[in-house]
Amino acid sequence: MYNELILNNISKHIHLEADEQAHFMSLLQPLKLKRKQIHLYRGEVCKHSTFVLSGCMRGYTTDFNGFEHILNFAPPDWWIADMYSLISGQPGHITIDAIEETEVLLLSKADQEKLYIQIPQFERFFRIITEKSLVSYQERTLENLSMTAQDRYLRFCKRYPTLINHIPQKYIASYIGVTPEFLSKMRNDLLKQSK
């Protein structure tokens, strides 16, 4: 089943023959993470692209006052990494952890580079993934600068529909840049408006 999930993810962008699929799968390292277990610490070099099979992960940064600012989530069928660190080989700026018990597949940067030569379609696949990540981060920046909290919440609901009632509200509040209390009031107001 898990093989099917990641192979379907890849088939959205490239076609692989059976032997290419088998080779790709042989490079993946399964990993189970406990709830709240850190997968990548800020300041470490990100050495893997991580594909989520089950559970959910988040990428976040912590400011000088100790407040967490969630940058992205990775539910099942999503990839996550500190893209800056993975590409540059420099220490990263974000922490990645598991919100709940999570199973992932890791693809090392070294194996990813080898795949580009062995199966050239993977260069296209990871270019598309990287471009989507760049677009997502740019959208997030523009949302934070120009949208109201309500609009940011509605955009979150569209981007992560499976997470709305699945993850703690404090994480959603952090993602859209409001307090949990403000989010609760805003959700109640939206509920009243929809009636």
Side-chain angles (χ1 to χ4, degrees), residues 117-176:
I117 296 164
Q118 297 163 344
I119 307 172
Q121 302 97 293
F122 271 104
E123 195 157 23
R124 172 174 159 49
F125 175 77
F126 283 105
R127 176 182 53 80
I128 291 168
I129 295 297
T130 302
E131 287 172 352
K132 286 185 172 195
S133 176
L134 175 63
V135 168
S136 177
Y137 276 111
Q138 183 173 341
E139 284 179 340
R140 286 268 296 134
T141 301
L142 294 173
E143 288 168 14
N144 289 339
L145 293 172
S146 61
M147 287 184 158
T148 65
Q150 181 174 313
D151 288 340
R152 290 195 305 271
Y153 173 71
L154 294 172
R155 185 65 65 96
F156 167 86
C157 293
K158 186 176 180 183
R159 187 174 285 141
Y160 299 109
T162 61
L163 300 184
I164 300 164
N165 297 310
H166 183 74
I167 62 172
Q169 296 304 298
K170 67 179 181 179
Y171 291 152
I172 298 173
S174 171
Y175 179 85
I176 65 171

Side-chain angles (χ1 to χ4, degrees), residues 30-136:
L31 178 67
K32 290 184 179 183
L33 298 160
K34 295 178 181 163
R35 182 176 173 265
K36 295 189 176 183
Q37 183 176 342
I38 304 285
H39 177 57
L40 179 73
Y41 286 92
R42 178 182 180 166
E44 288 184 336
V45 174
C46 183
K47 296 179 181 173
H48 296 91
S49 292
T50 302
F51 181 79
V52 179
L53 296 168
S54 66
C56 187
M57 302 184 82
R58 66 181 177 138
Y60 65 95
T61 186
T62 306
D63 67 23
F64 294 111
N65 296 315
F67 293 110
E68 291 179 359
H69 302 277
I70 297 177
L71 304 172
N72 60 335
F73 294 99
D77 198 30
W78 285 54
W79 291 86
I80 190 167
D82 182 323
M83 293 301 291
Y84 163 78
S85 179
L86 185 69
I87 292 169
S88 70
Q90 298 298 309
H93 300 293
I94 65 172
T95 299
I96 298 174
D97 71 3
I99 293 175
E100 58 194 14
E101 286 197 14
T102 300
E103 292 184 60
V104 300
L105 295 172
L106 305 178
L107 177 64
S108 74
K109 173 72 170 167
D111 284 338
Q112 190 172 325
E113 293 289 341
K114 288 177 193 169
L115 271 177
Y116 296 161
I117 296 164
Q118 297 163 344
I119 307 172
Q121 302 97 293
F122 271 104
E123 195 157 23
R124 172 174 159 49
F125 175 77
F126 283 105
R127 176 182 53 80
I128 291 168
I129 295 297
T130 302
E131 287 172 352
K132 286 185 172 195
S133 176
L134 175 63
V135 168
S136 177

